[in-house]
Amino acid sequence: MEGSAKTQELTLSMGPQHPSTHGVLRLILRVDGEFIRDVRPDLGYLHRGAEKLAEERSYLQFNPLTDRFDYLSAMHNNAVYSMAIEKLAAIQVPERAEYIRVIVMELNRIASHLVFWGTFGLDLGALTPILYAFREREKVLELLEMVSGARMTFNYIRFGGVRDDLPDGFVPALNAFLDEFPHRLDEYDALLTGNEIFKIRTIGIGRLDPGDAVALGVTGPNLRASGVAFDLRRAEPYSVYDRFSFDVPTRAAGDTFDRYAVRIEEMRQCVRIVRQAVEQMPDGPVQAKVQRNIKPPPGDVYARIEAPRGELGVYLVSDGGANPYRFKLRAPSFINLQALKKISTGMKVGDLIAILGSIDIVLGEVDR
């Protein structure tokens, strides 16, 4: 029609300094007006060669470097690396240490999901959620600081157990937090979950079908939001997770809202697990008698756990020496990011901000 507006496709670079890319991520967009025709992540801005660094360090020396992968859930990185070594060297972890591991990992899961909740609200224009989220996250970090001396990069879970036993005053402080936190989650629901603007921005946006989720290797809350009830704590129990009663939250639509809602419910389940762990935790040692300069027998193993962002796996190869021969990380953020193109094509640029936030990536384990 004569006089009608004409558009043509345009290639845009979003990031790596854009605040909504949650780190040094660059997205190369092909857009037609406001509509996305293609999106391609351009990675590598945070690459540090950490997997190669493992070959130059002893098994114990490399443990602190695992904190730097997903720095929002460092306890899980420590745990899966330690589990791989224990599997390779046939190390029996004391029972009390296993319970402590569960407690600190579930607290770290809460802290990680709180960052997601606050930053997700911020992505969509709501400032208050991040202030609420960091209020509670501060209390979790204080608890983790009590046991490890650090607030983000803990280096606390070691092969054979944990570095130190729980300090005096930890359990009462933990119980006080567990009593208060469910009420705070109710506040979160009232503040953001039921907000009409928030629902318009998220419901029906960026839908991921269960078949596509499985085909793309998506795991964690992003997979469960598509209706697939797969959680390694239940499907392939490790540590002492088989002793606890908890639900695996799922949703059906697989959209941006469901990915958000699953994480909110997961925090409630974390509280259930930690309560049971505190009640059941036995006395005893927290570290097996293992040489610090361990030399596992030659062989290869794969260990995996349910981290806040999905299946976190370590493939470890030993040649019988004091250093790992090969170390490979199966990073859920990196693999979940594959779904971005599938669920963003056809959406608007403004929707991409919500979709990327709902995937909840951490660039430290995307690039490594």
Side-chain angles (χ1 to χ4, degrees):
M1 178 178 173
E2 187 176 349
S4 62
K6 295 182 180 180
T7 62
Q8 63 180 20
E9 290 186 351
L10 179 67
T11 299
L12 295 177
S13 178
M14 178 179 165
Q17 288 83 29
H18 194 287
S20 291
T21 57
H22 295 266
V24 283
L25 171 68
R26 179 184 180 221
L27 298 177
I28 302 173
L29 308 181
R30 187 160 52 84
V31 298
D32 184 357
E34 281 291 312
F35 291 92
I36 298 169
R37 300 304 180 208
D38 186 41
V39 54
R40 179 167 63 87
D42 182 20
L43 310 178
Y45 291 90
L46 196 59
H47 183 60
R48 296 151 291 169
E51 290 164 320
K52 193 66 177 177
L53 289 175
E55 301 171 19
E56 305 299 325
R57 287 161 173 76
S58 71
Y59 288 90
L60 184 59
Q61 286 174 333
F62 185 67
N63 201 73
L65 271 68
T66 64
D67 289 325
R68 275 76 179 170
F69 293 131
D70 181 353
Y71 37 76
L72 293 183
S73 60
M75 288 293 187
H76 296 84
N77 300 333
N78 292 167
V80 71
Y81 175 63
S82 299
M83 287 169 57
I85 299 171
E86 290 155 5
K87 193 174 181 180
L88 197 59
I91 298 170
Q92 185 65 40
V93 178
E95 193 174 39
R96 180 176 176 84
E98 293 285 20
Y99 278 89
I100 293 174
R101 284 182 176 188
V102 168
I103 289 171
V104 296
M105 281 193 290
E106 293 307 310
L107 286 175
N108 208 176
R109 191 185 311 275
I110 291 174
S112 176
H113 283 353
L114 285 174
V115 173
F116 160 78
W117 185 78
T119 56
F120 190 56
L122 198 61
D123 286 342
L124 299 180
L127 177 61
T128 306
I130 200 165
L131 303 178
Y132 278 47
F134 272 66
R135 177 187 62 189
E136 269 67 68
R137 182 173 180 267
E138 183 70 18
K139 296 172 184 177
V140 177
L141 295 186
E142 286 174 357
L143 290 168
L144 296 177
E145 186 179 12
M146 288 179 70
V147 300
S148 70
R151 293 170 57 82
M152 282 188 68
T153 49
F154 306 108
N155 190 26
Y156 177 67
I157 298 176
R158 308 279 184 85
F159 54 84
V162 294
R163 193 178 66 211
D164 298 301
D165 204 344
L166 298 177
D168 295 338
F170 176 81
V171 172
L174 173 60
N175 286 330
F177 171 76
L178 296 177
D179 290 339
E180 177 190 23
F181 187 57
H183 303 293
R184 298 303 192 187
L185 286 174
D186 293 337
E187 285 186 359
Y188 295 175
D189 275 339
L191 178 68
L192 192 59
T193 308
N195 183 282
E196 286 299 320
I197 298 175
F198 177 77
K199 290 194 290 186
I200 291 170
R201 291 291 307 276
T202 57
I203 292 177
I205 302 299
R207 296 192 61 172
L208 180 62
D209 295 333
D212 291 332
V214 172
L216 290 166
V218 172
T219 55
N222 296 315
L223 177 64
R224 294 188 284 275
S226 295
V228 181
F230 180 78
D231 186 316
L232 284 168
R233 295 172 295 174
R234 179 66 55 79
E236 191 179 292
Y238 53 93
S239 189
V240 288
Y241 275 105
D242 57 342
R243 305 182 187 182
F244 307 130
S245 173
F246 63 97
D247 299 326
V248 177
T250 60
R251 303 281 290 194
D255 58 11
T256 297
F257 181 85
D258 281 0
R259 289 189 284 275
Y260 160 88
V262 163
R263 291 181 174 91
I264 294 293
E265 183 55 33
E266 278 194 2
M267 287 192 279
R268 300 186 191 277
Q269 299 305 316
C270 290
V271 172
R272 288 181 62 187
I273 293 171
V274 174
R275 283 192 187 280
Q276 294 172 75
V278 171
E279 293 169 358
Q280 299 177 22
M281 184 168 52
D283 295 327
V286 298
Q287 178 69 44
K289 294 183 179 179
V290 185
Q291 290 185 350
R292 293 171 64 89
N293 192 28
I294 190 173
K295 296 181 179 179
D300 64 308
V301 295
Y302 180 70
R304 59 179 185 168
I305 66 172
E306 188 67 36
R309 282 153 196 86
E311 180 184 329
L312 176 63
V314 162
Y315 177 64
L316 192 62
V317 182
S318 170
D319 61 358
N323 300 356
Y325 180 72
R326 287 289 185 272
F327 172 88
K328 173 65 179 176
L329 189 75
R330 194 267 185 206
S333 289
F334 176 74
I335 295 172
N336 291 344
L337 194 58
Q338 291 185 113
L340 185 63
K341 177 178 178 178
K342 180 73 177 179
I343 60 181
S344 298
T345 303
M347 298 285 106
K348 294 183 178 181
V349 175
D351 296 328
L352 177 62
I353 304 301
I355 293 169
L356 179 63
S358 73
I359 296 176
D360 188 27
I361 61 169
V362 167
L363 268 297
E365 70 172 13
V366 171
D367 285 348
R368 299 188 292 286

